[in-house]
Amino acid sequence: MKKALVAGATGLVGRSLVYELLESGIYSEIRILARRKTEFSDKRGVQEHIIDFDELARHESILEGIDDVFVTLGTTMKKAETKDNFIQVDYTYPVQLAELAKQSGAKRFLIITAAGSDPKSPFFYSRVKGQLEEKLLSLGLPSLHIFRPSLLTGERDEFRLGEKAAEAASRKLSTLFRGPLEKYKPVEGRFVAAAMKAIAQEESSGTYLYESDKISDLGMHTKKA
């Protein structure tokens, strides 16, 4: 049986992912990195580590013996308040986790970025996500899997008016997401989680990119199987 580490277990995808991993019976141990206590702290096989992410380097030992590292960290500009804070959560922490994963000998590193990620994008959000991907590619991880979902749908702990409005609009305009635009179609968080779990069970080496439409298809197929 394998061991997994999940960073971002309180978010829309992260929470679904932990349940996916628990229900799979594939992992004897799931370690969670979190800022605060989660709903999984009393689950069998779960080790919850409450940490200060600004001191990630001090927690290298938590990754020892881990097979699969899942990173579902992410924030919004409204919550981050400043660009520096946003970069810290969406770039710095994931890069540090990738470096620790490589040092500890993790076999697979799976991470969520975003549709439209581009290090040269004129849009701050997309540019940071693109710079993150660029940095991860430079690290030479043995097996890197980058998931680029478009708008994530599903029930969150926190209400996000902008995302709810975008979700409602996307449903009305669903017929537009075809051909070259298909990779921008919204995807349910639970399908992203299912896709990540499924991909982690494949023997792989190198770098793989998954756009929103592929994530949705794989996630739905996995949930039905």
Side-chain angles (χ1 to χ4, degrees):
M1 296 181 74
K2 301 198 294 180
K3 296 180 181 180
L5 180 136
V6 179
T10 59
L12 176 64
V13 176
R15 186 190 305 114
S16 292
L17 176 60
V18 175
Y19 279 116
E20 286 280 347
L21 301 184
L22 284 170
E23 292 169 5
S24 72
I26 296 168
Y27 296 88
S28 62
E29 194 175 300
I30 301 169
R31 300 175 198 170
I32 291 175
L33 294 184
R35 291 184 183 276
R36 62 183 186 278
K37 187 179 177 66
T38 74
E39 63 196 83
F40 306 107
S41 57
D42 61 348
K43 300 290 185 182
R44 183 178 180 181
V46 171
Q47 289 186 12
E48 187 178 76
H49 300 269
I50 309 300
I51 69 166
D52 180 350
F53 278 82
D54 289 334
E55 299 180 350
L56 265 173
R58 296 176 51 189
H59 301 286
E60 181 180 0
S61 60
I62 297 176
L63 281 82
E64 290 179 0
I66 292 293
D67 297 285
D68 303 328
V69 175
F70 299 90
V71 179
T72 62
L73 294 172
T75 188
T76 63
M77 275 303 300
K78 181 178 179 180
K79 193 171 183 178
E81 297 183 343
T82 69
K83 288 185 176 182
D84 285 345
N85 288 343
F86 182 87
I87 291 170
Q88 190 78 350
V89 175
D90 281 60
Y91 177 88
T92 305
Y93 297 159
V95 168
Q96 289 178 342
L97 283 165
E99 291 171 341
L100 292 176
K102 184 176 182 180
Q103 292 171 22
S104 66
K107 296 176 182 176
R108 280 163 290 277
F109 189 86
L110 304 94
I111 186 169
I112 294 175
T113 57
S117 298
D118 183 347
K120 296 181 180 179
S121 173
F123 303 105
F124 174 75
Y125 179 87
S126 298
R127 187 166 66 252
V128 173
K129 294 294 188 180
Q131 290 169 347
L132 168 60
E133 291 184 358
E134 193 172 56
K135 179 61 177 178
L136 293 176
L137 288 168
S138 75
L139 295 179
L141 294 162
S143 183
L144 171 62
H145 299 267
I146 297 173
F147 295 77
R148 291 175 170 172
S150 183
L151 176 68
L152 289 167
T153 62
E155 294 303 316
R156 299 178 184 270
D157 282 343
E158 58 180 330
F159 179 75
R160 297 180 178 180
L161 178 60
E163 290 186 357
K164 283 298 180 183
E167 185 176 337
S170 68
R171 283 198 294 269
K172 294 179 180 179
L173 301 173
S174 60
T175 55
L176 296 179
F177 296 103
R178 294 180 178 177
L181 295 179
E182 194 170 6
K183 66 180 181 180
Y184 294 105
K185 73 178 184 180
V187 57
E188 289 188 44
R190 64 193 181 102
F191 291 151
V192 180
M196 294 181 83
K197 181 205 71 176
I199 291 297
Q201 310 322 312
E202 299 177 359
E203 289 298 324
S204 59
S205 61
T207 300
Y208 302 82
L209 298 174
Y210 309 91
E211 301 292 354
S212 207
D213 55 331
K214 301 302 181 184
I215 296 170
S216 183
D217 291 345
L218 177 57
M220 285 191 287
H221 176 76
T222 300
K223 296 296 283 186
K224 290 178 182 176

